[in-house]
């Protein structure tokens, strides 16, 4: 029998991009699980209905009927979701959803190579993960990727190239292992400065670097958050607590497409002493998310955002802005504030359907609107952010 998973998700990513798991250069998977407010903490506010969403029972029924006729239940469910107008709804087969959940733990299977398309149309390595197979083989950021397993990659979308690197869809008898492609090999055709060569790499299970810390020349702590995966909130909170007294924080959320909402709330808690982080509704019933007590409320904070800041990252941005805890700098955020609830279908696939939306502490709706920074800048945003932080006393 189909059943509803006991999870709530703020799904901030396009389906194909979610499966690439390239947090640095492609939108990554986002979800919230298992740590919603207790019943005695929930805020009850005015309710409203959710438009343009698929009916969970209708989706499950379509999948079951298709399977009874010997057809694909997943494809039938996808058709219902597509016709519903739920633009953030999605259906994942069992294998895809396993990858989806693996991403929430900050893990993926591959060779440690991120890709991007250059202005001339070629595909290049945008980032090489230290210690990964690509790094050990001497591959560097900027190297041109010509072929994968002998197939030219130039005409292919970047997401397809990444899927080839990861080994998605390879036919293997793995007994249902989550890491079906781990241990398999991939042959890359590369070029650098006119020199062409090939490398045979073995795919492994890798951890993503969701949080990067550095101390700027001005003494400010720069926290770059690529995605809110498992453990991210604790990393941010610890970094803030361990920073020298009075040190300013530049929280860089540019290109952060979201992540685990529980991690986002914990991240916001690093700068708040309890209180409201966001309200959200589930099929019209309003609830709330609260910060943990004991965060640092004294040191200056500037949040750097752009059009790639979305979903759970917008939740953090809105909380810090509305609570007067950070000055936000950059360009308007994406505007993804809808809530998805996953339901398991009869064939093991999972349908994620929109069931509500969230708002900032001041009641501002994020979906389709985004968040306008306190200081809107399109160029040299990080430099301007540093200037603002210095003016707040957080840098030299």
């Amino acid at each position: 029998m189909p059943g509803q998973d006991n999870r709530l998700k703020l799904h901030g990513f396009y389906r194909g991009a979610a499966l690439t798991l390239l947090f640095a250069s492609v939108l990554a998977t986002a979800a919230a699980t298992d740590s919603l407010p207790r019943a005695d903490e929930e805020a009850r506010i005015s309710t409203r209905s959710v438009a343009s969403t698929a009916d969970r029972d209708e989706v499950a029924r379509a999948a079951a009927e298709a399977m009874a006729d010997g057809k694909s239940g997943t494809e039938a469910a996808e058709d219902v979701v597509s016709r519903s107008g739920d633009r953030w709804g999605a259906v994942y087969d069992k294998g895809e959803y396993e990858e989806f959940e693996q991403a929430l733990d900050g893990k993926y299977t591959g060779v440690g190579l991120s890709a991007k398309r250059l202005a001339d149309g070629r595909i290049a390595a945008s980032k090489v993960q230290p210690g990964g197979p690509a790094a050990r083989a001497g591959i560097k950021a900027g190297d041109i990727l010509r072929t994968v397993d002998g197939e030219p990659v130039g005409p292919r979308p970047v997401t397809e190239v990444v899927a080839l690197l990861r080994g998605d869809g390879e036919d293997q008898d793995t007994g249902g292992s989550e890491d079906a492609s781990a241990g398999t090999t991939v042959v890359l055709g590369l070029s650098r400065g006119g020199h062409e060569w090939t490398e045979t790499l073995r795919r492994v299970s890798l951890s993503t670097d969701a949080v990067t810390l550095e101390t700027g020349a001005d003494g400010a702590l720069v926290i770059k958050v690529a995605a809110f995966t498992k453990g991210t909130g604790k990393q941010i909170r610890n970094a803030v607590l361990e920073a020298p007294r009075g040190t300013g924080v530049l929280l860089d959320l540019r290109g952060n497409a979201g992540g685990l909402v529980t991690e986002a709330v914990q991240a916001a808690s690093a700068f708040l002493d309890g209180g409201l982080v966001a309200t959200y509704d589930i099929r019209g019933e309003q609830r709330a998310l609260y910060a943990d007590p004991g965060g640092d409320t004294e040191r200056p904070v500037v949040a750097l955002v752009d059009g790639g800041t979305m979903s759970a990252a917008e939740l953090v941005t809105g909380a810090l802005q509305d609570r007067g805890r950070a000055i936000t700098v950059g360009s308007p955020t994406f505007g993804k504030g809808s809530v998805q609830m996953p339901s398991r279908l009869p064939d093991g696939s999972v349908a994620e359907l929109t069931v509500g939306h969230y708002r900032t502490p001041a009641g501002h709706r994020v979906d389709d609107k985004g968040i306008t920074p306190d200081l809107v800048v399109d160029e040299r945003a990080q430099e301007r952010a540093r200037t603002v932080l210095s003016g707040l006393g957080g840098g030299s």
Side-chain angles (χ1 to χ4, degrees), residues 214-222 386:
E214 66 177 53
T215 301
D218 56 1
L221 174 62
V222 180
R386 287 182 180 275

Side-chain angles (χ1 to χ4, degrees), residues 80-152:
V80 174
V81 174
S82 176
R83 288 188 285 105
S84 73
D86 185 350
R87 67 173 179 142
W88 294 109
V91 179
Y92 300 89
D93 65 33
K94 185 177 180 180
E96 288 175 339
Y97 202 71
E98 286 176 348
E99 290 185 11
F100 189 106
E101 292 187 309
Q102 187 182 30
L104 301 180
D105 287 331
K107 300 177 182 178
Y108 71 103
T109 299
V111 296
L113 188 65
S114 301
K116 66 179 180 180
R117 185 175 299 281
L118 302 178
D120 60 10
R122 295 181 298 171
I123 301 294
S126 60
K127 181 181 179 182
V128 180
Q129 184 167 334
R136 293 197 299 270
I139 298 173
K140 300 178 180 179
D143 287 346
I144 302 301
L145 183 61
R146 299 181 295 108
T147 62
V148 175
D149 287 333
E151 296 292 327

Side-chain angles (χ1 to χ4, degrees), residues 80-258:
V80 174
V81 174
S82 176
R83 288 188 285 105
S84 73
D86 185 350
R87 67 173 179 142
W88 294 109
V91 179
Y92 300 89
D93 65 33
K94 185 177 180 180
E96 288 175 339
Y97 202 71
E98 286 176 348
E99 290 185 11
F100 189 106
E101 292 187 309
Q102 187 182 30
L104 301 180
D105 287 331
K107 300 177 182 178
Y108 71 103
T109 299
V111 296
L113 188 65
S114 301
K116 66 179 180 180
R117 185 175 299 281
L118 302 178
D120 60 10
R122 295 181 298 171
I123 301 294
S126 60
K127 181 181 179 182
V128 180
Q129 184 167 334
R136 293 197 299 270
I139 298 173
K140 300 178 180 179
D143 287 346
I144 302 301
L145 183 61
R146 299 181 295 108
T147 62
V148 175
D149 287 333
E151 296 292 327
V153 299
R156 294 176 179 266
V158 173
T159 51
E160 286 188 14
V161 176
V162 173
L164 291 173
L165 292 172
R166 287 173 42 79
D168 290 346
E170 290 195 354
D171 184 14
Q172 299 190 57
D173 184 10
T174 61
S177 169
E178 291 183 10
D179 298 317
S181 62
T184 62
T185 58
V186 59
V187 181
L188 307 185
L190 300 144
S191 68
R192 181 194 303 159
H195 171 62
E196 297 185 353
W197 80 101
T198 62
E199 290 284 355
T200 299
L201 306 178
R202 188 172 299 276
R203 300 180 179 100
V204 298
S205 180
L206 297 166
S207 296
T208 58
D209 298 322
V211 178
T212 303
L213 306 176
E214 66 177 53
T215 301
D218 56 1
L221 174 62
V222 180
I223 304 177
K224 170 65 178 176
V225 189
F228 287 105
T229 54
K230 187 175 180 180
T232 299
K234 184 176 181 180
Q235 282 183 271
I236 295 170
R237 190 175 179 106
N238 287 345
V240 172
L241 292 176
E242 293 169 6
R245 183 180 178 86
T247 298
V249 174
L250 178 59
L251 183 64
D252 191 348
L253 300 176
R254 292 176 298 176
N256 184 325

Side-chain angles (χ1 to χ4, degrees), residues 4-22:
Q4 178 178 312
D5 282 354
N6 184 29
R7 308 186 201 235
L8 169 72
K9 300 198 172 187
L10 289 184
H11 192 322
F13 310 92
Y14 303 107
R15 183 170 186 257
L19 298 179
T20 68
L21 312 184
L22 286 184

